[in-house]
Amino acid sequence: MKDSNFLKEHNGRLMWHPMTSPQDSVEQPPKIITGSSGVSVTDIDGHSVVDAVGGLWNVNLGYSCQPVKDAITSQLDRLPYYSTFRGTSNDAAIELSYELNAFFAPDGMSRAFFTSGGSDSVETGLRLARQYHKLRGEAGRTKFLSLKKGYHGTHMGGASVNGNANFRTAYEPLLPGCYHIPAPYTYRNPFNETDPAKLAQLCVQALEDEIAFQGAGTIAAMIMEPILGAGGVIPPHESFAPMVQEVCNRNGILLISDEVITGYGRTGAWSGARLWGIQPDMMCTAKAITNGYFPFGALMLGHRMVEVFEDNPSARIGHGYTYSGHPVGAAAALACLAETKRLNVVDNAAARGTQLYEGCLALQKKHDIIGDVRGGHGLMTAMEMVADRATKTPIDAAIASAVQDVAYQNGAMVRVSGPNLLLSPPLVLTEDDANTILTAIDAGLAAI
């Protein structure tokens, strides 16, 4: 390992970072994280902070989950890699498929297709949706619907169904046939509707209008997050997801639940689908499936998909990844799933999520810069910062970044995306950890 002077000198110069410009990384070098313990990370200067970002929504069990580390080490010693392409498999992947099918059975899932991460899982879902309709003799169903403000990774298909221009404009033209409907975002929506239940109905009506305009027979699937995450933690009214599912079912459209963030307990339920009481046709999962310790993902498939593919001899899946069902990732996922269930993290996610949400509401009363606070469903919380509450004018990006920097100096790693300050800490967060996060954010808001 090179010394700290070498690392600081080369920081941001030779490696391009996701979600920023190369020049920005040079002018504002990223924090160099060199250690971790529990729910905290330590930078190259020895400064430790509570990680209120949870890695990137994925380190649900914190950084000291020994069972997962041991599983990775043991599997590396025994079988570090083998392909699961036609003709071969491995024991860890087989066992994981069994455990995941049991875990997601209440959501109507019964098969797994393994991937290398969330974007891969989304891409797989989109591709299999089109193949499903071709196998049923409806080859014209090729289009996709999604929500504005939704985030579905950065592959070409995922970017195409993303509902945020930041992930689209520079790479257009994207996949044709992707259409977006308004999100149930009470703070900002084209209907100027602040009642969540009424807004849910308006958004579902917009969905029905789009289906009627496009023609139901041209649409393959609707993909959406149960709670919009990267778009600003936007929880819909409880009626929204069931209404969307009813519309999709009535029109022969598959429903893909993007659970890359919401799966495995983050919402205070074991899945976002279960939180809202729906059973989608597919569920995209990744992130917390290995606690972030190994790149891995799984697309879970429901009964409609299973029946069509398994009852059709010509249903060859011409899709997959070199690392699909990677034995080390599967071993990590098995250990992570066992520990996730043993700790019953959904209860703590709900309790600490309520604490953070209520704490942020208290900060809103104290600081005029906070225009909206969203959360209340597990450990997913956002504060939207504004320059003026009356006009809802978004805050300047430099000021938002200053809040993040001061919060870091005061003991918490938080994430600012646009005007939103996002909180997605590990699900093993303690009450004291949550208080540390709130105190650090308070300091950041006071400083600006």
Side-chain angles (χ1 to χ4, degrees):
M1 176 73 72
K2 299 290 187 179
D3 63 26
S4 61
N5 290 331
F6 174 91
L7 296 173
K8 289 180 179 179
E9 178 185 352
H10 291 84
N11 186 19
R13 298 187 180 278
L14 304 179
M15 175 174 66
W16 285 5
H17 288 259
M19 304 304 177
T20 190
S21 69
Q23 191 60 37
D24 181 65
S25 294
V26 172
E27 295 174 354
Q28 302 181 68
K31 296 174 177 62
I32 304 173
I33 305 302
T34 59
S36 61
S37 179
V39 298
S40 298
V41 294
T42 303
D43 65 25
I44 197 167
D45 295 316
H47 180 58
S48 293
V49 296
V50 175
D51 183 14
V53 187
L56 199 61
W57 307 86
N58 58 342
V59 187
N60 281 13
L61 305 180
Y63 295 92
S64 301
C65 189
Q66 199 60 41
V68 179
K69 296 179 183 180
D70 290 344
I72 290 172
T73 302
S74 176
Q75 187 63 47
L76 281 170
D77 287 339
R78 193 166 58 83
L79 178 68
Y81 173 76
Y82 211 80
S83 162
T84 59
F85 274 38
R86 185 181 65 175
T88 57
S89 189
N90 65 75
D91 51 351
I94 295 168
E95 185 178 349
L96 179 60
S97 68
Y98 177 85
E99 294 295 338
L100 286 176
N101 285 321
F103 184 80
F104 287 109
D107 302 297
M109 302 295 109
S110 61
R111 299 292 188 274
F113 186 98
F114 293 125
T115 71
S116 303
S119 292
D120 286 351
S121 295
V122 168
E123 199 77 7
T124 302
L126 298 178
R127 294 189 70 177
L128 293 188
R130 283 186 170 177
Q131 187 177 6
Y132 164 89
H133 291 295
K134 285 180 169 63
L135 290 170
R136 295 183 67 254
E138 293 189 89
R141 287 185 178 267
T142 61
K143 298 174 184 176
F144 298 108
L145 302 175
S146 57
L147 297 176
K148 293 178 179 179
K149 304 294 290 184
Y151 181 81
H152 303 289
T154 54
H155 288 355
M156 190 61 77
S160 301
V161 294
N162 268 346
N164 188 319
N166 290 337
F167 309 114
R168 299 171 53 85
T169 307
Y171 310 102
E172 292 175 335
L174 297 171
L175 187 70
C178 297
Y179 303 94
H180 302 77
I181 66 166
Y185 177 21
T186 53
Y187 193 60
R188 300 181 192 273
N189 63 78
F191 312 107
N192 293 317
E193 179 58 69
T194 58
D195 180 88
K198 291 180 181 178
L199 179 58
Q201 292 177 336
L202 289 169
C203 291
V204 170
Q205 184 58 57
L207 171 63
E208 297 225 52
D209 291 345
E210 190 66 33
I211 292 171
F213 178 75
Q214 297 295 334
T218 70
I219 301 170
M222 167 85 180
I223 182 169
M224 69 178 189
E225 301 163 274
I227 295 175
L228 281 70
V233 183
I234 301 171
H237 187 264
E238 61 185 9
S239 64
F240 180 71
M243 286 193 291
V244 169
Q245 178 159 52
E246 189 280 325
V247 170
C248 288
N249 288 344
R250 176 161 34 90
N251 288 280
I253 298 168
L254 295 172
L255 179 60
I256 305 172
S257 185
D258 186 341
E259 304 266 359
V260 172
I261 285 174
T262 55
Y264 307 103
R266 179 156 294 280
T267 67
W270 285 121
S271 71
R274 223 171 300 182
L275 175 69
W276 302 128
I278 64 171
Q279 290 197 338
D281 296 293
M282 289 178 270
M283 297 172 68
C284 307
T285 80
K287 289 192 182 290
I289 194 171
T290 62
N291 202 44
Y293 292 6
F294 196 92
F296 199 84
L299 176 74
M300 302 305 300
L301 302 143
H303 67 91
R304 284 209 289 183
M305 299 293 293
V306 172
E307 289 172 4
V308 167
F309 276 80
E310 295 189 359
D311 290 347
N312 192 326
S314 65
R316 178 182 181 273
I317 298 173
H319 171 78
Y321 305 98
T322 298
Y323 301 112
S324 291
H326 195 297
V328 179
L334 279 166
C336 185
L337 189 61
E339 193 70 358
T340 295
K341 292 189 292 185
R342 185 186 73 82
L343 294 173
N344 195 33
V345 293
V346 289
D347 289 345
N348 192 61
R352 298 286 71 77
T354 298
Q355 181 187 355
L356 279 181
Y357 179 58
E358 291 178 349
C360 289
L361 288 173
L363 290 176
Q364 183 183 27
K365 294 179 180 178
K366 183 177 179 181
H367 300 282
D368 289 341
I369 195 173
I370 302 175
D372 192 33
V373 174
R374 297 183 291 274
H377 301 284
L379 279 166
M380 298 179 68
T381 306
M383 295 190 297
E384 185 167 341
M385 295 177 285
V386 293
D388 183 270
R389 275 190 182 176
T391 62
K392 300 183 182 180
T393 304
I395 194 172
D396 181 83
I399 297 176
S401 294
V403 176
Q404 177 178 293
D405 290 341
V406 175
Y408 184 82
Q409 295 164 16
N410 283 269
M413 175 81 81
V414 299
R415 182 182 177 212
V416 167
S417 178
N420 296 307
L421 189 151
L422 306 175
L423 301 176
S424 53
L427 307 191
V428 293
L429 198 76
T430 67
E431 184 176 354
D432 287 343
D433 295 328
N435 285 331
T436 297
I437 293 169
L438 291 167
T439 299
I441 294 171
D442 189 17
L445 294 168
I448 54 104

